[in-house]
Amino acid sequence: MNFSIQRYSSRTHRIDRSVLVEHLKGAKRYHRIAGYFTSSLFEIAGEYLEGIEEVKIVCNSDVRSEDIKIAKICESKLLGRLNTQPVEAESLLNRPRYQWLYDFLHQHPDAIRVAPDNYCGFVHGKAGVIEKKDGSRLGFIGSMNETKAGWQEHYEIVWLDESQEGVDWIQTEFDALWQNAVPLPRAIIQELGRRAHRKEIILDQAENSEMLPPAALVECPMYREGLSLQPWQRAFVGECLKHLRWYGTVRLLIADEVGLGKTLSLGTAALTLALLSEQELAKKGGRIRRKAIAIFAPATLTEQWQTEMLDKLGVPCARWDSRRKVWLDTEARIISPAGPENISRCPFRIGIISTGLITQPTLERDLLSQVNFEILIQDESHKSRTKQGLGKKAGEPNALLRFMIDAARRSKHVLLGTATPMQTKVEDLWDQLNILHQGDGNFVLGSDFSPWHHADSVLPVVTGLENPNDPETAWRFLRSPLPPLGSSEEKDFRRVMHEIRGELGLKPQEFNCYAPVVDLPSAVRDDLEDLLESQQANNRFFQRHNPIVRHVVLRKRTVLEAAGLLPKVGVDLHPDVQKSQDPTAFTVLFQHQALRTDENFAEAYEAANDFGTAYGKRVKAAGFMKNLMQQRLCSSCAAGINTARKILDDQAIEDESDEFFDQIIDTVTAEQEALERLITALERIQVEDPKLKAVKHFLINENWVRHGCIIFSQYYDTAAWIAEQLAHSFPDTLIGLYAGAGKSALFRGPGDRNEEDREKLKKLVEDQSIPIMVATDAACEGLNLQRLGTLINIDLPWNPTRLEQRIGRIKRFGQVRPTVDMLNLVYQDTVDEKIYETLSARMKDRFELFGSLPDTIQDDWIENIERLDEKLDEYIETQKRVNGFDIRYNANLDTEEDEWRNCAQVLSRRSIDTLMRTGWST
């Protein structure tokens, strides 16, 4: 037979028919090197593939080999690419194609594989081998993709080769790619099936409350990027829906350990409850006014909340600007008239407000005290607490707690969030429970005569130190509030509660029982006594069944890691001369764990101290302001100078605590003189800031840049300065600055800075184009940087949980290093050195201890190192004593795939966006 090369051009031939279709008829095998996987992959030859014995196609992936080994990363990448086109029109136009492709792949799950980018790069060379049933083979080479456009619409040139040598060569190339590729993830096949059955519904068509969250979120930004809510986040939404069924209102405190994504848990719950509220309004013909949905958070977190709600959930929210007295959208644009009176007229469905407004006597606080809330959310709710100490006001609620108690009385749903349910005493938790108990939530702690109102009497019972044995005592704890039937999976619990309710004639939503235990038949009392004696996982009855466990959702990192839901990534702490590659250079920089400084820095630090002392004497309840200059100077010399100059020039100070966020600070002569001395001393420093020296040492001498590095500061001044300085030291390296709205940037060399949006920066890190990222705390949530393997804390926040949030950016799924490195930088002879010495002793062998440290280190703890030691140890010990949460909240977590992804009935993103842009009714 005379074998030859046949040449085809789409200009002269229908190459889809003359090359592909013609030869696939009656074929036995089809091996293909294609381009990107798309839904139109088999659009031309689909009907012929069904009868072919073996179909194998290898595609591009946009995934590197280290990621392709991690199923979730691979799924995320491929789902993200599949979602580059708007799914709404795409699924409607091409539903038959999706159905055919889903059916085919369901029957042939290994028909398509994806090759890692760093093995083959972009698969531009397209080729294939077709084997006929008679054993003859032919190969073809061309640039066309396996799509309708590739075969029919584009200008393409194809060579058909029937020679054994030519076919073998193509087959060898295919085999090499196939062997190094992995099967198309099951999640992709499921998404094709979902699109084949996708149907947009209006809110009224949602058949039950459980279907609302997936219907609203399956096509939100994070799901379109291939990401998912974590199992415990979805479970929190489920818990909210359970409470809504039991009580008709939701009163929950989420106290998951730090870094577990409470913002998304609360945000998803808020969206779900808002949609359910709209359903109720629709049933009433819209005659009822929409009540406010408000999120109260420390000022430093308000922008983070706004960003994450939009970037992850696709929910636009308004943020109140405390200084300009206006509402801002997600681009920091003004969307309301100016004036404090407008705080009660939020132009969006959800308004985010700084708790700093509540801690001070403001007109805004007075106006908010008259607002009725549909949903009231407070982040870092432990800041609402009873005043401590022995003073005249000890035991009284602070201003924030008073406001929240009053606001909860005027709210339908109340959700609180904190990584610190108890500061140093478990009793502090009762401040949170007291908020939840107000108004419609008066079932949380039971009737006014219930023992659950008194922490001192019930704590021994909750912690298992005491176990009420006699029925009358136990009945006092059980009858008010009486648990809902569905509040436990224990069969005996459900049976006995059902018996009790039936015998006493209690309705399902009746939770206070005033009958004595003797009113129960003896058989029921016997069953109750047996139940009270029962244990589960060494937990007694009232450890498992009490108002605290029912209304506080607490999950622990170690439990989730043991279940395989969180990665176990080790952390090596620095500075540590034993781990240094250059001990000589290390000792020049560090004295023990602190950076060496000179006499000029010492003089500046003394001036900062003098400023704080003078300000604290003059301004009562100065709080954080007393330590403002100390903390700024402890961040960097640049931040110290900038802050001092802004105060002297009557400019607003940003990025501060909630009490003084974005405020102009009035000063008197003594304070001004201290600031002048500080500036003069810092300007005399001739050499580089020791922190900049240390950063360069670790990036260059310790070669951290090879692994990629994220550098964190709590202040924008420091972050911007570091990014600019590193641009000089690494002129050929892209350096990102990830900060608040309008402040993010990209650097390449000195003086070469471009403004950049955060999403672009994240993509560049993901593509490994940015090896060094500098970020502020305000932007760190939602920033997933598993591509980077090292972290530098330029400053030490007086908030240990923030260190856990920071390391959580790289200590996550997709981190290829089994152990990451974290460097904490503090100047010698400063308060930061004292704090870090105390913390690092506890971090040495057990980094996860951070999850058991208080959210904020109190100012009075710092004055005496023994007191700091004592308070931290007391806090850790009290957290160990609280239990019962693991049984309730971790036992039934879904460790498998996210079933929300299969939701085919969806609410349109446009309708959700429109609804969320509807303002508060006043």
Side-chain angles (χ1 to χ4, degrees):
M1 184 181 290
N2 182 25
F3 294 107
S4 63
I5 293 177
Q6 301 170 50
R7 303 171 183 86
Y8 297 88
S9 160
S10 59
R11 184 179 60 82
T12 58
H13 294 80
R14 283 288 304 273
I15 59 174
D16 58 324
R17 294 173 183 254
S18 55
V19 177
L20 186 63
V21 173
E22 182 65 31
H23 293 287
L24 282 177
K25 292 177 181 178
K28 180 182 179 181
R29 288 189 180 87
Y30 180 44
H31 291 179
R32 176 78 157 103
I33 301 171
Y36 280 117
F37 170 77
T38 71
S39 63
S40 60
L41 198 61
F42 299 147
E43 193 168 12
I44 297 299
E47 66 240 54
Y48 302 107
L49 295 180
E50 290 181 329
I52 297 176
E53 200 173 292
E54 180 180 279
V55 177
K56 291 183 177 179
I57 299 178
V58 65
C59 299
N60 287 302
S61 70
D62 269 354
V63 183
R64 297 179 64 84
S65 56
E66 63 263 29
D67 288 336
I68 216 163
K69 299 171 186 174
I70 303 170
K72 289 187 180 295
I73 299 296
C74 191
E75 288 176 7
S76 169
K77 283 287 189 180
L78 292 168
L79 282 168
R81 169 153 288 281
L82 195 62
N83 283 313
T84 52
Q85 297 298 321
V87 66
E88 294 85 355
E90 173 73 10
S91 62
L92 190 63
L93 289 170
N94 299 304
R95 184 164 292 150
R97 176 206 295 170
Y98 282 116
Q99 185 63 59
W100 187 92
L101 189 54
Y102 172 74
D103 291 340
F104 179 84
L105 291 175
H106 195 65
Q107 296 169 22
H108 306 85
D110 196 28
I112 298 176
R113 289 189 179 184
V114 289
D117 282 5
N118 56 336
Y119 173 73
C120 59
F122 178 77
V123 181
H124 198 273
K126 314 299 193 304
V129 173
I130 298 174
E131 181 180 342
K132 301 291 188 65
K133 289 183 179 178
D134 62 6
S136 62
R137 301 181 303 159
L138 60 91
F140 61 89
I141 298 175
S143 59
M144 66 287 161
N145 286 312
E146 196 81 334
T147 63
K148 179 179 179 181
W151 283 106
Q152 289 184 348
E153 299 172 11
H154 299 163
Y155 174 75
E156 301 289 356
I157 296 175
V158 181
W159 287 31
L160 199 65
D161 191 343
E162 296 180 282
S163 68
Q164 181 172 335
E165 178 186 6
V167 174
D168 286 347
W169 182 80
I170 297 173
Q171 187 68 51
T172 300
E173 290 300 310
F174 170 83
D175 290 343
L177 292 175
W178 185 261
Q179 292 300 321
N180 286 278
V182 297
L184 195 67
R186 184 167 173 264
I188 304 297
I189 301 173
Q190 286 180 302
E191 173 63 9
L192 296 174
R194 189 190 74 81
R195 292 190 183 191
H197 300 93
R198 182 186 184 276
K199 177 185 177 182
E200 278 193 11
I201 60 172
I202 60 175
L203 197 54
D204 291 349
Q205 293 173 319
E207 297 173 359
N208 55 60
S209 58
E210 283 76 11
M211 76 170 289
L212 264 183
L217 291 178
V218 70
E219 292 174 1
C220 74
M222 69 178 298
Y223 273 76
R224 285 177 61 84
E225 291 173 17
L227 304 173
S228 295
L229 288 172
Q230 297 291 352
W232 56 90
Q233 293 171 324
R234 301 194 302 272
F236 178 73
V237 179
E239 193 69 23
C240 289
L241 294 177
K242 287 180 187 175
H243 280 243
L244 189 59
R245 288 196 303 272
W246 298 338
Y247 304 115
T249 178
V250 181
R251 300 291 168 124
L252 284 172
L253 165 67
I254 182 171
D256 290 350
E257 285 185 347
V258 68
L260 299 184
K262 289 181 297 300
T263 304
L264 282 179
S265 296
L266 289 167
T268 306
L271 174 60
T272 302
L273 294 172
L275 294 174
L276 288 170
S277 171
E278 287 299 314
Q279 279 189 329
E280 289 298 314
L281 283 173
K283 291 176 183 177
K284 297 173 181 177
R287 293 188 299 274
I288 308 299
R289 289 183 174 181
R290 289 185 177 91
K291 291 190 289 185
I293 300 175
I295 299 170
F296 289 89
T300 49
L301 299 180
T302 56
E303 186 180 336
Q304 172 187 311
W305 260 96
Q306 189 181 34
T307 299
E308 195 152 347
M309 289 290 285
L310 184 67
D311 291 357
K312 297 298 181 184
L313 304 181
V315 175
C317 302
R319 169 170 54 95
W320 180 255
D321 186 312
S322 304
R323 182 169 60 89
R324 290 180 287 176
K325 312 299 182 189
V326 292
W327 287 101
L328 304 177
D329 68 6
T330 49
E331 297 299 320
R333 294 175 298 213
I334 296 174
I335 54 174
S336 75
E341 66 278 3
N342 291 298
I343 197 167
S344 58
R345 294 192 286 268
C346 178
F348 283 7
R349 192 77 181 91
I350 298 177
I352 304 169
I353 302 168
S354 164
T355 48
L357 282 174
I358 310 304
T359 60
Q360 304 295 317
T362 61
L363 176 57
E364 291 101 310
R365 183 177 74 179
D366 294 340
L367 293 168
L368 289 169
S369 296
Q370 303 169 33
V371 174
N372 294 322
F373 298 98
E374 179 72 23
I375 306 170
L376 177 68
I377 296 176
Q378 186 190 2
D379 194 8
E380 296 205 15
S381 61
H382 56 276
K383 294 181 182 292
S384 298
R385 61 198 305 253
T386 302
K387 293 177 181 177
Q388 306 296 305
L390 302 173
K392 184 170 58 176
K393 295 186 177 181
E396 293 183 8
N398 64 13
L400 194 52
L401 179 55
R402 288 197 304 272
F403 175 86
M404 290 303 298
I405 287 174
D406 184 55
R409 293 192 186 108
R410 294 176 275 109
S411 303
K412 181 174 182 180
H413 307 298
V414 180
L415 300 174
L416 307 178
T418 177
T420 312
M422 299 131 286
Q423 272 299 78
T424 56
K425 296 185 299 183
V426 184
E427 291 89 329
D428 288 347
L429 185 58
W430 261 255
D431 289 334
Q432 313 298 299
L433 294 171
N434 193 22
I435 296 172
L436 299 179
H437 183 75
Q438 301 304 311
D440 291 345
N442 59 9
F443 52 82
V444 172
L445 293 173
S447 70
D448 292 345
F449 305 104
S450 170
W452 294 105
H453 289 277
H454 309 288
D456 53 348
S457 64
V458 300
L459 271 178
V461 177
V462 171
T463 56
L465 297 177
E466 293 181 6
N467 189 38
N469 290 320
D470 68 282
E472 286 191 17
T473 303
W475 182 241
R476 285 197 306 108
F477 288 96
L478 182 61
R479 70 180 181 179
S480 182
L482 199 64
L485 286 176
S487 61
S488 173
E489 296 298 319
E490 297 176 32
K491 291 181 180 179
D492 286 342
F493 170 88
R494 287 174 174 246
R495 177 178 57 80
V496 174
M497 290 302 111
H498 181 75
E499 290 174 353
I500 290 173
R501 286 182 171 276
E503 292 294 340
L504 298 177
L506 298 175
K507 297 176 182 178
Q509 288 195 339
E510 199 169 348
F511 302 103
N512 290 318
C513 174
Y514 301 98
V517 71
V518 294
D519 283 5
L520 292 172
S522 58
V524 177
R525 289 203 304 272
D526 290 343
D527 287 345
L528 177 59
E529 287 186 45
D530 291 341
L531 184 63
L532 293 170
E533 289 296 325
S534 68
Q535 290 198 19
Q536 192 177 106
N538 295 320
N539 275 238
R540 293 172 168 176
F541 178 83
F542 284 111
Q543 289 178 270
R544 309 191 309 272
H545 305 288
N546 59 69
I548 296 88
V549 171
R550 281 196 293 276
H551 294 280
V552 179
V553 179
L554 171 59
R555 293 186 179 89
K556 300 173 184 175
R557 175 176 292 275
T558 52
V559 176
L560 298 175
E561 286 178 346
L565 296 172
L566 278 177
K568 290 183 179 179
V569 179
V571 180
D572 275 344
L573 293 171
H574 302 265
D576 186 339
V577 70
Q578 302 297 323
K579 298 171 184 172
S580 175
Q581 297 182 31
D582 188 350
T584 302
F586 182 94
T587 53
V588 170
L589 285 168
F590 293 95
Q591 181 178 17
H592 303 300
Q593 293 180 316
L595 288 162
R596 298 180 186 274
T597 56
D598 61 15
E599 65 279 1
N600 292 308
F601 181 88
E603 186 177 335
Y605 188 74
E606 183 180 353
N609 225 344
D610 291 345
F611 169 81
T613 301
Y615 190 90
K617 287 179 180 177
R618 184 175 64 86
V619 182
K620 292 184 178 181
F624 179 77
M625 270 302 306
K626 181 180 176 181
N627 298 310
L628 171 72
M629 281 311 308
Q630 267 191 350
Q631 285 205 296
R632 283 291 183 130
L633 180 56
C634 283
S635 175
S636 68
C637 295
I641 289 178
N642 288 348
T643 304
R645 284 178 174 160
K646 284 181 179 179
I647 294 174
L648 291 172
D649 294 341
D650 293 329
Q651 295 182 34
I653 303 299
E654 299 178 354
D655 301 332
E656 295 299 342
S657 74
D658 50 329
E659 287 86 358
F660 292 90
F661 180 74
D662 205 14
Q663 297 290 327
I664 294 173
I665 301 164
D666 295 323
T667 56
V668 296
T669 302
E671 295 152 16
Q672 293 166 1
E673 289 176 351
L675 294 176
E676 295 284 5
R677 282 193 288 117
L678 180 146
I679 293 171
T680 301
L682 292 179
E683 287 178 337
R684 284 201 304 264
I685 297 177
Q686 298 298 312
V687 295
E688 282 185 325
D689 187 318
K691 290 199 174 181
L692 180 60
K693 278 186 179 180
V695 170
K696 291 180 180 179
H697 169 80
F698 277 87
L699 289 175
I700 300 170
N701 297 9
E702 304 290 341
N703 202 20
W704 281 21
V705 72
R706 173 169 59 95
H707 300 295
C709 186
I710 172 70
I711 303 171
F712 269 116
S713 171
Q714 57 188 324
Y715 302 120
Y716 176 76
D717 285 349
T718 296
W721 164 74
I722 282 286
E724 290 167 1
Q725 295 303 312
L726 291 180
H728 285 265
S729 301
F730 297 89
D732 299 321
T733 301
L734 281 178
I735 295 171
L737 174 60
Y738 192 91
K743 295 180 180 179
S744 296
L746 192 61
F747 296 80
R748 185 191 284 277
D752 193 358
R753 166 184 171 143
N754 290 336
E755 289 188 7
E756 195 54 85
D757 64 69
R758 289 191 291 252
E759 289 303 312
K760 178 64 174 178
L761 292 177
K762 287 194 282 188
K763 183 69 167 63
L764 288 171
V765 172
E766 187 66 34
D767 295 341
Q768 297 186 309
S769 299
I770 296 182
I772 302 173
M773 178 79 93
V774 187
T776 60
D777 280 319
C780 82
E781 278 298 318
L783 181 61
N784 303 327
L785 299 173
Q786 57 266 27
R787 292 290 191 190
L788 308 178
T790 63
L791 182 146
I792 298 175
N793 291 308
I794 283 288
D795 46 38
L796 182 74
W798 292 4
N799 178 332
T801 56
R802 258 197 207 163
L803 292 178
E804 179 75 11
Q805 288 173 334
R806 290 176 177 183
I807 197 67
R809 301 306 101 209
I810 63 174
K811 186 185 173 188
R812 61 197 308 116
F813 280 117
Q815 176 54 251
V816 297
R817 299 188 72 200
T819 301
V820 295
D821 293 286
M822 180 169 77
L823 169 66
N824 299 312
L825 295 177
V826 295
Y827 297 117
Q828 70 180 120
D829 299 327
T830 62
V831 66
D832 275 18
E833 180 185 17
K834 181 166 61 174
I835 295 172
Y836 184 63
E837 282 179 355
T838 305
L839 292 178
S840 62
R842 290 164 170 78
M843 293 188 293
K844 197 77 175 176
D845 301 312
R846 189 165 169 257
F847 185 82
E848 65 267 22
L849 183 62
F850 259 146
S852 299
L853 290 178
D855 181 74
T856 302
I857 292 174
Q858 302 297 305
D859 291 347
D860 59 338
W861 300 1
I862 297 167
E863 305 301 327
N864 182 290
I865 195 64
E866 287 78 16
R867 179 169 172 76
L868 179 58
D869 272 322
E870 173 192 334
K871 287 297 181 182
L872 292 179
D873 287 339
E874 183 182 344
Y875 182 87
I876 293 166
E877 186 56 36
T878 53
Q879 280 224 326
K880 289 178 181 176
R881 288 202 304 265
V882 178
N883 47 39
F885 298 101
D886 291 346
I887 294 174
R888 178 167 173 76
Y889 296 114
N890 292 321
N892 299 314
L893 276 181
D894 180 14
T895 60
E896 301 301 322
E897 64 192 29
D898 182 356
E899 284 298 323
W900 286 18
R901 285 203 169 279
N902 297 324
C903 183
Q905 293 194 345
V906 301
L907 297 171
S908 78
R909 298 309 306 168
R910 178 174 293 182
S911 65
I912 293 174
D913 185 81
T914 301
L915 173 62
M916 291 298 117
R917 293 181 188 274
T918 304
W920 296 355
S921 299
T922 57

